[in-house]
Structure formats: structure tokens, C-alpha cells
Amino acid sequence: MFDFSIVTTWFDSLLRETCGLSSFWVILIECVLVGVFILAMYAILAILLIFMERKVCAAFQCRLGPMRVGPWGIFQVIADVLKMLIKEIFAVDKADKLLYAIGPFLVLIASVGAFSFMPWNRGAHILDFNVGIFLMTAISSIGVIGIFIAGWSSNNKYSVISAMRGAVQMISYEMSLGLCLIAAVILTGTMQVSGIVEAQSGPFGWLVFQGHIPAIIAFVVFLITGNAEANRGPFDLAEAESELTAGYHTEYSGMGFGFFYLAEYLNLFIVAGVASMVFLGGWMPIHIGVEGFDKVMDYIPGFIWFIGKAFALVWVLMWIRWTFPRLRIDQILKLEWKYLMPLSLLNLVLMTVIVAFGWYIK
């Protein structure tokens, strides 16, 4: 499988040796290029996910979805983006102006920060610290602060109720989500993103195969809790249109609303990307121990594997949203504290026993 670090090393040596730039300028140029790549991928994926959501929703409701703007409606999202860019950004009376302006940025910063940990290919991970999983969950948790600030500062009772719901839900489900990731860390023995992916390189090496039943339980619970973390149906109590108009972003317009909209869809991809990274091998192809088959799988680029797995899980999460009805807030909290949390703790103990006795696939 191609190692993208060959390209990055070549580009670094090109700037240092061929162009004769100092370390300061080399690092500055590389950081700017990485930042542009992150923002470009963020925007492109947001457009793809919004279009995919509309088409998947239409398919489940036996209709076509957007079809008028461009062939098969492919330019509908671009038209919506242009409309959002030119809409007036108004100020809300008696709102806390500073917090009102900060809220959307905190949500977007948390989303972009977590997005930066995605392992696109071997040697193509942007942030790869030795405590990567811990740092990624810490950065992503900033989003709940942005949601609460946005709802509280809007001077709107519906926004305040929505912010309280969102904060309670996200803080609660972070517990089970973290326990699922800890189970994976115990099995792989590392918190580094690249290390977790590399630990899944052998035949049937994906964690859902290595860790037997505890790994499968952790994978399923992670998808449920990740869906709740992203405020997606049936866990979209914070944005319940039939009860709270638009929830915590009711009083936002233009790009203020656009930031929330972007973050929601990219959080969906982040949940799917982390699930594919931790439990489905990330950029690693499927190996079954047959030399010819494994060799053919290795010819498929790693970024194709990662993006394919992530979008497959995105489709599953969209399927869940458009299939199940919205839960009540008491049902959501009961599901977490009475079922998912005890199950995650028990599963963590089982995973520890399996690793201690060496009962997993090596």
C-alpha cells in the first residue's frame, strides 16, 4: 500500500534544499497548505453530505428529491450556499452580543479540530499525536459549549430550552462514547491514530473481527452514541422543529446559521470516520489470509478504503434518521444512563479480560 509520507518528505526536502528556504518559512508554507486542505475538504464534504442527505431522505420517502437546479439537482446545494451567503445577518434585541457571535465559531472550531484527526491514508494523517484519541474527544467536546452559549445568549425561551436539552444529551452520551473508544485503546494498546489503524493490518485484523463480541458491542454502541452526539434523529431533541422551532439556532441567520449547518453535517462524517478508523481498519484493506485476494485489495488506495467505509456508515446513520421517530428527552436519558452506560462498562471489563488472557485474534 502506498505510503503518502514519501510525498510529504519529498515536498519538505524540495522547500529546504532545492528552494533554500529556512525552517521558519518551510513550516509556515506547510501549515498554510495543510490549513487550506482541511478547509477545502471540509467544504467539499459538507456539500456532498447535504446533497446525499436530501437524496437518501427522498429515497426513503418514495420521491426524487431536488431535481431542478442542474442535472439530478446536483447544483441545488451550491444555490443554497449562495443564498445563505447573501442573506442579512441581523442583531437580536436584548441578546448578549458577544456570546451570540462566539457560539457558532465554537461549534465550528470543535468540528474542524476533530476533523483534522481523520486518517486519510498511510502517511496522510494531519494530526497524529501519541494521545490522539484523547485529544480528539477533548476538542470535539468544545461543541457543547458553543451550543449552550448560542441558546442562552439568544434571549429566546425556545433557544434556552434547546440549549439545555443539547447540553444534557451531549454530556451524557459522551460517557458511553468514551468508554467505547477506551475498549478499542485497550485492544490496540495505543491512543495514537496511526497506531490504532496499523494494529488492524493482519488477516481479519479489523477490530470488529479481532475483539470478538466486545468489539462488535463497542462498535454498535459507538454508532448510537455518536448519532446522539451529532444531534441527529432520532436524537434531535435540541432541534425539535415541532416543539422548539429551530432550537438553539432559531435566532441565527446568514452564515451564523450556516456555521451550525456545516458543523452538523461534518459531525456526521466525523462520527462515521472515527468509527471506520477505530473499528473498521481506517485506510487498511480487508485481508482474509489468501495471498492473491489480499494482494488485489492492497492495490486499492488507502484513501479510497477510508472514504468508502466512512460514507457507508454515513448512509447507515442517515437510514436510522429517516426510519425511527424522534424520542422524548426522558427516553433519551433513560437509554443512556440505564442501558448504554452499564452495557459499556460491562463491555469494557470483558474487553480487558480478553486482552489479559490473549483471547483476541492476533
Side-chain angles (χ1 to χ4, degrees):
M1 179 173 289
F2 180 73
D3 189 347
F4 201 79
S5 61
I6 297 173
V7 176
T8 57
T9 303
W10 168 82
F11 184 74
D12 183 77
S13 63
L14 177 68
L15 294 177
R16 293 178 185 275
E17 299 172 7
T18 306
C19 298
L21 298 177
S22 63
S23 296
F24 171 80
W25 289 107
V26 170
I27 293 173
L28 179 63
I29 292 172
E30 292 173 349
C31 288
V32 169
L33 291 177
V34 168
V36 170
F37 172 80
I38 292 174
L39 295 178
M41 287 299 298
Y42 196 91
I44 292 170
L45 284 173
I47 291 173
L48 291 176
L49 289 168
I50 293 171
F51 181 75
M52 180 180 175
E53 175 89 274
R54 290 173 172 175
K55 288 297 186 180
V56 170
C57 167
F60 277 101
Q61 296 175 355
C62 299
R63 53 187 180 85
L64 297 176
M67 293 291 291
R68 294 179 180 273
V69 186
W72 303 289
I74 58 176
F75 297 132
Q76 180 64 58
V77 180
I78 297 176
D80 292 341
V81 170
L82 293 175
K83 177 184 177 182
M84 190 176 297
L85 287 172
I86 62 176
K87 285 184 76 68
E88 179 185 2
I89 301 177
F90 57 82
V92 180
D93 290 339
K94 299 181 181 179
D96 189 314
K97 297 296 191 295
L98 178 61
L99 297 181
Y100 178 83
I102 289 176
F105 285 98
L106 286 178
V107 173
L108 193 69
I109 288 170
S111 180
V112 172
F115 181 72
S116 302
F117 284 88
M118 294 294 101
W120 300 99
N121 198 85
R122 177 178 287 161
H125 29 266
I126 297 168
L127 297 180
D128 190 33
F129 301 104
N130 59 346
V131 289
I133 289 294
F134 173 79
L135 187 58
M136 182 182 62
T137 54
I139 293 175
S140 63
S141 64
I142 297 174
V144 66
I145 302 175
I147 288 175
F148 192 80
I149 285 177
W152 183 84
S153 64
S154 294
N155 190 33
N156 182 307
K157 59 183 179 182
Y158 299 114
S159 298
V160 173
I161 295 172
S162 169
M164 294 173 66
R165 283 184 177 184
V168 169
Q169 176 179 309
M170 294 176 72
I171 292 172
S172 298
Y173 278 84
E174 278 177 358
M175 306 294 291
S176 295
L177 186 143
L179 289 173
C180 294
L181 294 177
I182 292 173
V185 168
I186 290 174
L187 185 57
T188 58
T190 179
M191 285 194 290
Q192 191 167 1
V193 169
S194 61
I196 291 174
V197 177
E198 293 289 351
Q200 306 175 62
S201 59
F204 295 103
W206 296 358
L207 254 62
V208 290
F209 302 132
Q210 283 190 43
H212 308 298
I213 293 177
I216 296 173
I217 293 174
F219 175 58
V220 173
V221 173
F222 181 87
L223 289 181
I224 296 172
T225 55
N227 212 14
E229 282 288 297
N231 283 320
R232 302 272 303 175
F235 301 97
D236 56 339
L237 260 294
E239 304 173 35
E241 295 88 352
S242 58
E243 305 169 20
L244 303 174
T245 59
Y248 53 86
H249 48 61
T250 298
E251 301 293 350
Y252 284 89
S253 65
M255 284 311 297
F257 172 78
F259 285 167
F260 287 114
Y261 201 56
L262 277 174
E264 178 183 341
Y265 279 96
L266 262 296
N267 287 338
L268 173 65
F269 182 83
I270 291 167
V271 169
V274 174
S276 63
M277 168 186 73
V278 174
F279 298 101
L280 300 180
W283 67 73
M284 285 294 177
I286 181 69
H287 286 160
I288 60 174
V290 178
E291 184 178 354
F293 178 85
D294 294 349
K295 197 168 185 179
V296 171
M297 294 297 102
D298 286 337
Y299 283 122
I300 302 175
F303 67 90
I304 298 294
W305 279 106
F306 174 72
I307 294 175
K309 295 171 188 176
F311 270 94
L313 292 179
V314 165
W315 184 83
V316 171
L317 294 175
M318 289 182 178
W319 182 6
I320 293 172
R321 175 180 181 179
W322 297 108
T323 302
F324 292 97
R326 182 184 297 128
L327 301 174
R328 297 195 312 265
I329 186 65
D330 61 309
Q331 293 173 328
I332 286 178
L333 296 180
K334 182 179 180 181
L335 174 65
E336 164 61 14
W337 292 107
K338 287 191 175 182
Y339 298 102
L340 295 183
M341 173 66 77
L343 178 61
S344 299
L345 288 171
L346 178 61
N347 192 59
L348 186 62
V349 174
L350 289 175
M351 182 65 79
T352 304
V353 171
I354 285 176
V355 172
F357 286 94
W359 293 341
Y360 58 96
I361 298 176
K362 301 178 183 179

